[in-house]
Every structure is written in C-alpha cells, then in structure tokens.
Amino acid sequence: MAETKKRGRPRSAKAEAAILKAARELLDEAGPARLTIEAVATRARVGKPTIYRYWANARELAMAALMARMPERAGMKTSQSAIADLRTHVRGLIARFATTRGRQSALMLATAERDSEMFKAFRNQVVMTGREEGRAILLRAIAAGEVNVDMPLETLLDLVYGPIFFRLLTVHAPLTQDFADEIVATLVEGVSTRA
Amino acid sequence: MAETKKRGRPRSAKAEAAILKAARELLDEAGPARLTIEAVATRARVGKPTIYRYWANARELAMAALMARMPERAGMKTSQSAIADLRTHVRGLIARFATTRGRQSALMLATAERDSEMFKAFRNQVVMTGREEGRAILLRAIAAGEVNVDMPLETLLDLVYGPIFFRLLTVHAPLTQDFADEIVATLVEGVSTRA
Amino acid sequence: MAETKKRGRPRSAKAEAAILKAARELLDEAGPARLTIEAVATRARVGKPTIYRYWANARELAMAALMARMPERAGMKTSQSAIADLRTHVRGLIARFATTRGRQSALMLATAERDSEMFKAFRNQVVMTGREEGRAILLRAIAAGEVNVDMPLETLLDLVYGPIFFRLLTVHAPLTQDFADEIVATLVEGVSTRA
Amino acid sequence: MAETKKRGRPRSAKAEAAILKAARELLDEAGPARLTIEAVATRARVGKPTIYRYWANARELAMAALMARMPERAGMKTSQSAIADLRTHVRGLIARFATTRGRQSALMLATAERDSEMFKAFRNQVVMTGREEGRAILLRAIAAGEVNVDMPLETLLDLVYGPIFFRLLTVHAPLTQDFADEIVATLVEGVSTRA
DNA sequence: ATCTAAGCGAGACGGTACGTCACGTCTTGGG
DNA sequence: CCCAAGACGTGACGTACCGTCTCGCTTAGAT
C-alpha cells in the first residue's frame, strides 16, 4: 500500500514506442552489434538521455526490442498423443529461432551481462516462454503414462532446447525441421539396444 | 620457386607470446568484453600495429588467447563399456566448461562473426575437439552393439553437447556432474514407457 | 478596462527568496561558472520554470544574487580635504573588491551579455554606485578649488576605477591599500617634472 | 641538456594549424562563447581528441587562437619627447583593443581560470606585451628627466592600461583616441591646482 | 661489410560512440 | 494561474578505443 505518488511530467509512451521501433529497425538492418544509442536517438527523433532513462545501455535496449518482437505464441492445440504434441512444439520452436530474429536473440542471450535484471527477463520471456509450454506437454505425457521421467524435469527440457541453441551458435549443421523429429525420437526411444 | 623469400626482420616470437600472455591476464581479470587492443598493447609493452599484424581485431585475439588456454585433452582411457566411457567423457566436458574460462569460451563463440576463419578455428578447436572424442566413443558403442543410432551421428552429438552449452548460457540451473549422468542416461534409455 | 485583473495564484515571495539564497550559497561554494539553474532549483526546492519566470538565464541570476549581496555603502563622512576624502573612498573601494565577492562581480561584468538590461543594472549598481560618490567628491574638490579638471569628469573617474579592476582581472600585482594611495597621489600631482 | 628523446609519431603541424585557423574563424563568426570543440573539430576536419591533445578545453583554445591573432607590434619609433611617445603608444593600444578581437581578448582574460598556465601566457602575451614597451618609454622619460616617479613603476603602468580595459568592459563611455590623450595628460600634469 | 626490407616500440592521427550534464521548454497534479 | 516535480529534445562535454599512419631503431638475410 506504500504507493509512490507520481509527481512531475509522466514519461512519454510515444517516446518509448518510437525508441523501440527505431531499435527494431536497426536490428533488422544492421544487427545487434551496430545498434548504437546515437543511431537509435537520431532515428527515433528522441534525445539520448531519454533512452538512458529507460535502459542502461545499448544491449539492454536491444533485448527490449527483441522481446517486443518475439511473435506471440499461438495457443497450442492438444492432440491425443502428448509425444506428437511435443514434436509439433519443437518444430515450432525451430521455426521461430531459425530466423534472423531468432539468431539475434540467442546471440543477445550469450552477450548479455549474466546477472542483470534485463538478462533474466529476456531469458524468461524469449527462451523460457516456450519452455513452459514444453513443460506442460511433458507433464501431460507423464500423466497419460506415455513417458516416465525419473529425474528433474529441467534436465529433460534442457535436452530438448539445448541442441537447438547449440546449432544456432555453432552453425556446424543446419537447423531443419527434421532435426526436431530426431531430437524427440531420440529422447523418447533412447539409443540403447537392450530393449 | 614457389617459396616466398623472407626478407627483413622476422617476426618476434617474444612479442607474440607477450601479447597472448597479456590477453590471457586481461581475460581473467576483466572478461572478454573488456579485452581491448590498447590495454593488451600497454600491458604487453608492445605497439598496437604489432598486434594487428597477428590478429584482425580484439575478438580474434580473445579467441586466440582462449584457445591457447584450453587444457590439453588427456588421452581417453577406454573401458569395457562404451556407455560408461561416454559418461566419463561428458563429465570431463562439464568440468572443463564449468569454469570462468569455459564460460568465456562459450560466450566468444556466441559473439564472434559467424563466417570468419577464426570463428571456425575456434569452434573446431574449443567445442569440437571433445566432439571427435565423443564421436569415437559413439562409433565404438555402435560397433559393440551397445547402441543403435538410425540418424545422423551429428544429431546425437548435439544432443550431448547442446544441453551443456545451454545451461552455460542461460544459467537457469547449475552445471553439475549429475547433469552429465542425467544426459547420458536419458539418451541411452529414452523416456518412453512402451518398452 | 485597462487595469489588468490579477488572476490565479500570485507569485511566491518565498520562492524568490529561496532561489536567491541558494544562488548566493552556490556562488560562495563554487563560483559563478558553476552556478547552474539545475543546482539552484534543487537546492532551493523550487521548479526550474519558476526560476526562469524571474531571470532569463544563469548569468542574470548570478548577477542578481551578487547585487543582493553587495554590502550597503556606508554614508561617507566628509572631511575638510576633498582629496583626503577621495583617498578614503578609493581605499574603501579596494577593500570591497579585494574579496571573493568583489572578484566574482568583476568577472560577471566581463562575461555578461553587453547589451542586456541586466548588464546595465549590474554595472550601475555594482560598479557605478561607488562612482556617484566619487563624482560627488571630485565635484566638491573642484568647487573647493583643490582640483582643476579640464576634461570630461568621466575620464578622471575611469582613471580612478580602471586600475583597480585591471589588477582584479590580471592579478599581476596585489590589490593593496597602498595602491589606493598611489593612484590618488599620481592623479593629483602628476608625474611631470616641469613644475 | 637533459633532452627528452622524441618517440612515436610526431605531432602534425598541419593539424595544429588547421585547428587554430578554424578556431579563429569561429571566433570571428560567433564569438568566444560559441567556440565549441565540436565545431572546431568539424571545421578543421580533425578528431576531437587531437584538439584535446593540444589544449585542455575550449577556453584555452580560444586564448591560443586569439594570441596567434594579435597583430605583431610594430617597432616603436622614438621621438625626442618620451611623453609624446607615450601618447602615441597609448593611442596605438586603444586602436588595437577597440576591435572585436580586442574586446574578445579582454573578455577571455576575465573568464579564464586565474591560475592556469594558459592564463598567464595569455595575459603576458596579449596584455603585457604592450606593457613592456610602455615601461621602456617611461624609463626613457625618467632618464631624460621628463618625469619623476617615486612609486613602483607597475602602479603607473596600471594607471595607463587600467582605464582602457575598464571602458572595454563596462562600455559606459566610448573608447576613442581622445581618451588616450586625456589619460596621458592627466597622468603627466595631475589635477592639483597647487602648482 | 654494407645494404635494405621488414618488424619493432611508441604514439599521434581522424573517427565513432560513449554516458553525462545542463540547457530551456513542456506537462502533469495539486493549492 | 502559480507551484514542485520531473520528463522532454537538444547540444556539447571530455573519454575510451578503434584501426591506420608515421617516426627512428633494430635485426638479419641478400648483396
């Protein structure tokens, strides 16, 4: 209830929107490394101090712009097989990240200061949003008895998402839809010949 | 005929060593983002042009310094179970990367210009060296009939390495030795209840 | 009809006083160059626009603060010798200006926009107040036959005040009471050997 | 003889000249208050750090530009009357300072940081150069028995130069050639009626 | 034993962007 | 309609590094 009385001129939503728009455009045109505060300020017809009032530096602004940019997650349709749902989910994930925007997001993640608030927000919103959906699917699969996981669910989720980001970063092999299927198949079946 | 005649003063091995030493120290003290050519030149008591004679920019120098820094891979001992060997391998990998140096390497990988020669060299030497060993282990496992892989081996390798780098980048969960075991167990057994 | 109806909240005398007080404090602490509107507003707990309602810019405010600060001129006592009175007057002048405040005033004079109203007011109040007294003394001396001036009185007054401000600005020699005596003696006697 | 060996690339005389030229042009066009480092850098096609390598701030640069600008003092011709020479000297001084440049110089003097090296250099070169000549003339007058000064020569010199700068600063009366004559006449003859 | 080309350290060069400060104006809600 | 607070666009500040370019000095193979 300790609400702070807002005094003085309120922040301009217009300015913030113009900044984010300019940032997004520059990301598209030149990538995150070229996103400078000066360029954003000029393009958004905004003063530099205004930008610094909202974000601490160019990287945080870039993250904010990328977050605002991530496509809305379409509500997932549920089929009878949770594993089929997982496959669809991973395919969607790859489709999302195998874009300039997706690559830039992964890159931001790697570059950002590990312990800033922005980093956590970015990680949660960009990387982990999909994760919640993935977690739901896996829980459904466990409930349905399709799957048996005797370890932290986090580990399994990392086994799903890790390979995608790995290819994104190392570019040693293409990030295709087939890769989604291969990931899911391996995780489900395992490679053991014991069975 | 094709030999290039070497005229003039040869390059100084001492200078190169001093540069790399300074670069390594700065990496340790301040991280890759703070590794500037000026700082390296000052610390190594070397002229800036000398540095540029060897490396194109600060990131390449950082990669070179990190590469020179990666611990020599100990010759892998082979046990009777290829899967046990894989587990040992993954554990070693995690031990190597769960260090400041390892984290910095992953970070460099993410930041580097995707199509430079240096990027490829760095990727191959830092990330993919272990991979060759992993590939050998898997091939051994297949030959021994311990394992059955009906997809590109690359995919399976990405399923091993991807989760490690993912945690390195997102820091949402700790990178422990247990995680190595969980990765291997899942990949081997799968999570299906069908069996 | 012609009368302007006073509508709305009247100006706050308290605000003006607080502003001038803050300005004076900042002048003492940091000098006229550091007297910024922002600092004054913060210290006086006053909005910046309120300051601008009274003064056009920081220099004018500084001048206003300095004017409010000049010590009241004590009523001059008249002796029998107008020349002795002049000496006393010049000594008093030097005493007044050989202070931080005096130096700042001279500096303001030099910095101010030459044709602003404030400049004229400042010049008249700070520099020329003394001058009126000096003029009166000289007129008395002429009337008493102690002195004979066959040129504009202004010139003679400049010969009295000029050297003081000159030393204030160039600081090449100290501004002492002896200097007052030397000025008056030279002006009265001249340096010619003809006599 | 402890000469310092000059290492590294020597400073570019061309750059320095271009900077001073640009500074002079800006002084002429907009005055000392508008002389910004940015504008000078742009006009001189020179990097800002290069300017800062030579001068500590805009005011010092302005002083340097004004110094480079002061007209060479013509070798003074000597007549039979030292007092006539003094009159000629003071007239020349007024002619020099009753210009935009002269006024700017006086202003710089007033604005500069009192204890910087640049301030002293500027004072000596701009204000005090003429002073040496004036001192020589006075010494000649004393030697010739034309004049009798029983006080520090500095005081007399201040009585000559002070009034000029005073009018320059206060602009309460015009700075004419007649003023020169009036100054000299008063100093020589004095205003006393005793004689 | 020179000559000469390349590497060396140092450091100045033209630039770009940084993050900050203060400007003078504008926009709130409250008195 | 004034007040405080404070955000706004603007413009300059002084600094950090960039990557390039002289300097004068090694250094060592070719002459």
Side-chain angles (χ1 to χ4, degrees):
Chain A
M1 291 329 161
E3 73 177 58
T4 347
K5 272 209 283 182
K6 285 284 195 66
R7 309 246 307 182
R9 179 175 174 173
R11 293 205 170 163
S12 156
K14 224 165 84 177
E16 182 171 9
I19 292 166
L20 284 174
K21 181 164 175 290
R24 264 178 267 125
E25 289 172 11
L26 285 169
L27 277 176
D28 287 348
E29 292 168 20
R34 300 280 161 69
L35 186 124
T36 67
I37 298 288
E38 304 241 304
V40 172
T42 301
R43 184 175 293 225
R45 318 197 109 258
V46 140
K48 280 199 289 172
T50 300
I51 300 180
Y52 284 109
R53 245 170 243 127
Y54 290 84
W55 299 278
N57 52 50
R59 274 190 314 279
E60 300 225 335
L61 171 53
M63 287 197 263
L66 280 169
M67 279 198 265
R69 194 123 246 232
M70 288 311 285
E72 284 301 307
R73 310 262 39 243
M76 186 70 197
K77 267 142 289 200
T78 311
S79 77
Q80 278 165 322
S81 159
I83 284 166
D85 288 353
L86 183 62
R87 187 156 34 232
T88 307
H89 173 62
V90 177
R91 285 183 178 194
L93 222 65
I94 286 182
R96 257 170 88 208
F97 281 99
T99 60
T100 303
R101 205 129 61 228
R103 240 165 284 131
Q104 288 177 351
S105 298
L107 218 140
M108 280 323 302
L109 198 66
T111 316
E113 304 235 5
R114 245 96 204 96
D115 40 352
S116 70
E117 281 311 301
M118 202 67 182
F119 171 70
K120 285 173 202 153
F122 186 75
R123 180 188 64 196
N124 292 340
Q125 189 163 339
V126 172
V127 181
M128 301 301 186
T129 308
R131 196 173 178 98
E132 283 317 303
E133 195 173 293
R135 190 194 313 276
I137 294 171
L138 284 176
L139 287 171
R140 207 151 11 94
I142 291 168
E146 289 184 70
V147 138
N148 173 35
V149 181
D150 58 352
M151 71 181 67
L153 206 51
E154 298 304 316
T155 297
L156 195 53
L157 285 163
D158 289 348
L159 275 156
V160 175
Y161 298 118
I164 297 175
F165 281 88
F166 190 66
R167 288 213 170 170
L168 217 45
L169 291 178
T170 58
V171 294
H172 74 284
L175 197 51
T176 62
Q177 291 293 319
D178 285 351
F179 188 52
D181 298 352
E182 291 166 8
I183 290 171
V184 174
T186 306
L187 292 178
V188 170
E189 302 297 341
V191 292
S192 171
T193 51
R194 273 187 316 157
Chain B
M1 291 308 249
E3 80 183 51
T4 348
K5 279 206 280 182
K6 285 282 199 67
R7 305 242 312 176
R9 179 176 175 173
R11 292 200 172 168
S12 154
K14 225 165 85 177
E16 183 173 8
I19 292 166
L20 283 173
K21 181 164 176 289
R24 262 178 269 125
E25 289 172 10
L26 286 169
L27 277 176
D28 286 349
E29 292 169 18
R34 299 280 160 71
L35 186 125
T36 66
I37 298 288
E38 303 242 306
V40 172
T42 301
R43 183 175 295 225
R45 315 199 108 258
V46 140
K48 282 200 289 169
T50 302
I51 300 180
Y52 283 108
R53 245 171 244 128
Y54 291 87
W55 299 278
N57 52 51
R59 272 191 314 279
E60 300 224 334
L61 171 54
M63 287 198 263
L66 280 169
M67 280 197 265
R69 202 124 238 234
M70 289 310 286
E72 284 302 307
R73 309 262 39 246
M76 186 69 196
K77 269 141 285 193
T78 311
S79 76
Q80 279 167 320
S81 158
I83 283 167
D85 289 353
L86 183 62
R87 186 157 34 232
T88 308
H89 173 63
V90 176
R91 284 183 178 193
L93 223 66
I94 285 182
R96 258 169 89 209
F97 281 99
T99 60
T100 303
R101 205 129 61 230
R103 241 167 283 131
Q104 288 178 350
S105 298
L107 219 139
M108 278 324 301
L109 198 67
T111 315
E113 304 235 5
R114 248 97 203 90
D115 40 353
S116 71
E117 281 309 302
M118 201 67 181
F119 171 69
K120 284 172 203 155
F122 186 76
R123 180 188 62 197
N124 293 340
Q125 186 163 340
V126 172
V127 182
M128 300 302 185
T129 308
R131 197 174 178 96
E132 283 317 303
E133 193 173 294
R135 192 195 312 277
I137 294 171
L138 284 176
L139 287 171
R140 207 148 16 92
I142 291 168
E146 288 185 70
V147 137
N148 173 35
V149 183
D150 58 352
M151 70 180 68
L153 204 53
E154 298 305 315
T155 296
L156 195 53
L157 285 163
D158 289 349
L159 274 156
V160 176
Y161 298 119
I164 298 174
F165 281 88
F166 190 66
R167 287 214 171 169
L168 217 46
L169 291 179
T170 59
V171 294
H172 72 284
L175 196 52
T176 61
Q177 292 291 322
D178 285 351
F179 189 50
D181 298 353
E182 292 167 7
I183 290 170
V184 174
T186 306
L187 291 179
V188 169
E189 303 297 341
V191 293
S192 171
T193 51
R194 275 186 315 157
Chain C
M1 290 308 249
E3 84 185 50
T4 347
K5 275 209 280 182
K6 285 283 197 67
R7 306 237 313 174
R9 178 174 174 177
R11 290 199 175 171
S12 154
K14 223 165 85 176
E16 182 174 7
I19 292 166
L20 283 173
K21 181 164 175 290
R24 262 178 270 126
E25 290 171 11
L26 286 168
L27 276 176
D28 287 349
E29 291 168 20
R34 300 278 160 69
L35 186 126
T36 66
I37 298 289
E38 304 242 304
V40 172
T42 302
R43 182 176 294 227
R45 317 199 106 257
V46 139
K48 283 199 288 170
T50 301
I51 300 180
Y52 285 108
R53 245 170 246 128
Y54 291 86
W55 298 278
N57 52 51
R59 271 189 315 279
E60 301 224 334
L61 171 54
M63 287 196 265
L66 279 169
M67 280 197 267
R69 196 120 245 235
M70 288 311 285
E72 283 302 306
R73 309 262 38 246
M76 187 69 198
K77 269 141 289 195
T78 310
S79 77
Q80 279 166 319
S81 159
I83 283 165
D85 289 353
L86 183 62
R87 187 156 33 231
T88 309
H89 172 63
V90 177
R91 285 183 178 195
L93 222 65
I94 285 181
R96 258 169 89 211
F97 281 100
T99 59
T100 304
R101 206 131 57 231
R103 241 166 284 132
Q104 288 178 351
S105 298
L107 219 141
M108 279 323 302
L109 199 66
T111 316
E113 304 234 7
R114 245 98 205 91
D115 41 353
S116 71
E117 280 311 302
M118 201 67 181
F119 173 70
K120 285 172 202 153
F122 186 76
R123 181 188 62 195
N124 293 339
Q125 188 164 341
V126 172
V127 181
M128 301 302 185
T129 308
R131 197 174 177 97
E132 282 317 304
E133 195 173 292
R135 193 194 312 277
I137 294 171
L138 283 176
L139 286 172
R140 208 150 14 93
I142 291 167
E146 287 185 70
V147 138
N148 173 35
V149 182
D150 58 351
M151 70 180 67
L153 205 52
E154 298 305 315
T155 297
L156 195 52
L157 286 163
D158 289 349
L159 274 155
V160 175
Y161 298 119
I164 298 174
F165 281 87
F166 190 67
R167 287 212 171 171
L168 218 46
L169 291 179
T170 59
V171 294
H172 74 284
L175 197 51
T176 62
Q177 291 291 322
D178 285 350
F179 189 50
D181 299 352
E182 291 166 6
I183 290 171
V184 174
T186 306
L187 290 179
V188 170
E189 303 297 340
V191 292
S192 170
T193 50
R194 274 186 317 156
Chain D
M1 287 344 168
E3 70 179 60
T4 347
K5 270 211 286 181
K6 286 285 195 63
R7 310 244 306 179
R9 178 175 175 173
R11 291 205 170 163
S12 155
K14 223 165 85 176
E16 184 172 6
I19 292 167
L20 283 173
K21 180 163 175 290
R24 264 178 268 126
E25 289 172 11
L26 286 168
L27 277 175
D28 286 349
E29 291 168 20
R34 300 279 161 70
L35 186 124
T36 66
I37 297 288
E38 304 242 303
V40 172
T42 302
R43 183 175 294 227
R45 317 196 110 259
V46 140
K48 278 201 290 171
T50 299
I51 300 181
Y52 284 109
R53 248 171 241 128
Y54 290 86
W55 298 279
N57 52 52
R59 272 191 314 281
E60 300 224 334
L61 172 54
M63 287 197 261
L66 280 169
M67 279 198 264
R69 194 121 247 232
M70 289 311 285
E72 284 301 306
R73 309 263 40 245
M76 187 72 197
K77 267 141 289 194
T78 312
S79 76
Q80 279 165 320
S81 159
I83 284 166
D85 288 354
L86 182 62
R87 187 156 33 230
T88 307
H89 173 61
V90 177
R91 284 183 178 192
L93 222 67
I94 286 181
R96 257 169 90 209
F97 281 99
T99 59
T100 304
R101 204 130 60 230
R103 240 167 284 130
Q104 288 178 350
S105 298
L107 218 140
M108 280 322 301
L109 198 67
T111 316
E113 303 236 4
R114 245 96 204 93
D115 41 353
S116 71
E117 281 309 302
M118 202 66 182
F119 171 70
K120 285 172 201 153
F122 186 75
R123 181 188 62 195
N124 293 340
Q125 189 164 339
V126 173
V127 181
M128 300 302 186
T129 308
R131 197 175 179 96
E132 283 317 303
E133 195 174 292
R135 191 194 313 276
I137 293 171
L138 285 176
L139 287 171
R140 205 145 21 88
I142 291 167
E146 289 184 70
V147 139
N148 173 37
V149 181
D150 57 352
M151 72 182 67
L153 206 52
E154 299 304 315
T155 297
L156 194 54
L157 285 164
D158 289 350
L159 274 156
V160 175
Y161 298 119
I164 297 174
F165 281 88
F166 189 66
R167 286 213 172 170
L168 217 46
L169 290 179
T170 58
V171 294
H172 72 284
L175 197 51
T176 61
Q177 291 292 322
D178 285 351
F179 189 51
D181 298 352
E182 292 166 7
I183 291 171
V184 174
T186 307
L187 291 179
V188 170
E189 303 297 341
V191 292
S192 170
T193 50
R194 276 187 315 158

